[in-house]
């Protein structure tokens, strides 16, 4: 299984999750898929990769001691090290090449933090509840899923990482998910799944002018990522389920 638990790009590098070694781990390859290298420790469960913009590092979530924390490795697989030390740090995402964002639950809520790649004390980005964040390709804005207290619902928005304030909001169809920046930061892409078939769409930052990008008639899209040159990487496939009848059960 490749990419279903994380897929990320920077330059011509691709980071992805795979259980090829027997345990879910993080691997890095180039755009042609040649010579993939496992960058997370082989025996440790790891998912959710994020590549630094300078292509030198990979951040990911690992739990060698059964406590999810953020780890970082060099992109060639060297120097794996833990940079957060909590009981539940999730969803790592590089901002600039020296900063990793992540989410942390506390008191029944979930918040966005940032930490240096060299470690240290994390700092909270915003008082808003935030489930996840993705930096724009330029690194000047964050795409976030945040809880709107006034409306009592989760929204998608564009945030200023300097002050943690929401700059604008947007909606996606009820059948859509996984919004992400387009490579030129001019708009957003998302997966739209109808009748168990997934296709890619794009729209403007305000949610207007939706355009279908792929026209598949079968299969799901589990994850995706854009290369800076506009090429699209997809983790695509199917799910299977079985119904079992149990009779005379007491």
């Amino acid at each position: 299984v490749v990419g279903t638990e994380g897929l990320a790009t920077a330059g011509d590098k691709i980071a992805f999750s795979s259980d090829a070694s027997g345990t879910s781990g993080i691997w890095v390859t180039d755009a042609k898929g040649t010579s993939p290298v496992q960058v997370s420790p082989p025996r440790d469960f790891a998912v959710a990769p994020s590549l630094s913009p300078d292509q030198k590092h990979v951040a990911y979530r690992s739990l060698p001691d059964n406590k999810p924390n953020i780890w970082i490795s060099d992109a060639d697989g060297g120097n794996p090290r833990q940079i957060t030390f909590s009981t539940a740090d999730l969803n790592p995402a590089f901002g600039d090449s020296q900063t990793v964002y992540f989410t942390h639950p506390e008191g029944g809520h979930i918040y966005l933090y940032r930490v240096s790649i060299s470690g240290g004390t994390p700092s909270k980005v915003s008082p808003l509840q935030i489930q996840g964040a993705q930096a724009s390709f330029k690194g000047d804005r964050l795409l976030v899923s945040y809880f709107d207290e006034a409306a009592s619902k989760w929204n998608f928005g564009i945030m200023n990482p300097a002050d943690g304030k929401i700059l604008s909001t947007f909606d996606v169809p009820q059948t859509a998910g996984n919004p992400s920046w387009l490579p030129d930061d001019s708009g957003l892409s998302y997966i739209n799944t109808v009748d168990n078939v997934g296709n890619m769409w794009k729209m403007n930052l305000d949610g207007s002018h939706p355009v279908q990008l792929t026209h598949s008639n079968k299969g799901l899209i589990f994850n995706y990522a854009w290369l800076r040159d506009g090429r699209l990487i997809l983790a695509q496939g199917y799910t299977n389920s079985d119904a079992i009848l149990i009779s005379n059960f007491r």
Side-chain angles (χ1 to χ4, degrees), residues 153-173:
K153 67 173 185 176
W154 288 93
N155 281 339
F156 289 114
I158 306 299
M159 173 179 282
N160 180 353
D163 60 14
K165 294 182 178 179
I166 299 297
L167 303 173
S168 61
T169 63
F170 62 91
D171 293 317
V172 296

Side-chain angles (χ1 to χ4, degrees), residues 184-199:
D184 62 0
D185 291 339
S186 66
L188 304 168
S189 56
Y190 58 91
I191 303 169
N192 195 36
T193 304
V194 178
D195 295 330
N196 289 317
V197 177
N199 275 291

Side-chain angles (χ1 to χ4, degrees), residues 62-118:
S62 187
L63 55 161
D65 57 358
N66 293 318
K67 297 177 182 179
N69 275 291
I70 309 305
W71 284 63
I72 193 169
S73 294
D74 296 345
D76 62 2
N79 196 24
R81 65 256 189 214
Q82 187 174 345
I83 60 171
T84 71
F85 297 85
S86 182
T87 56
D89 290 338
L90 313 169
N91 305 316
F94 270 98
D96 58 35
S97 294
Q98 301 299 312
T99 304
V100 178
Y101 294 97
F102 65 94
T103 56
H104 175 76
E106 53 189 69
H109 298 82
I110 189 163
Y111 297 102
L112 184 67
Y113 283 79
R114 63 165 65 91
V115 66
S116 167
I117 63 170
S118 59

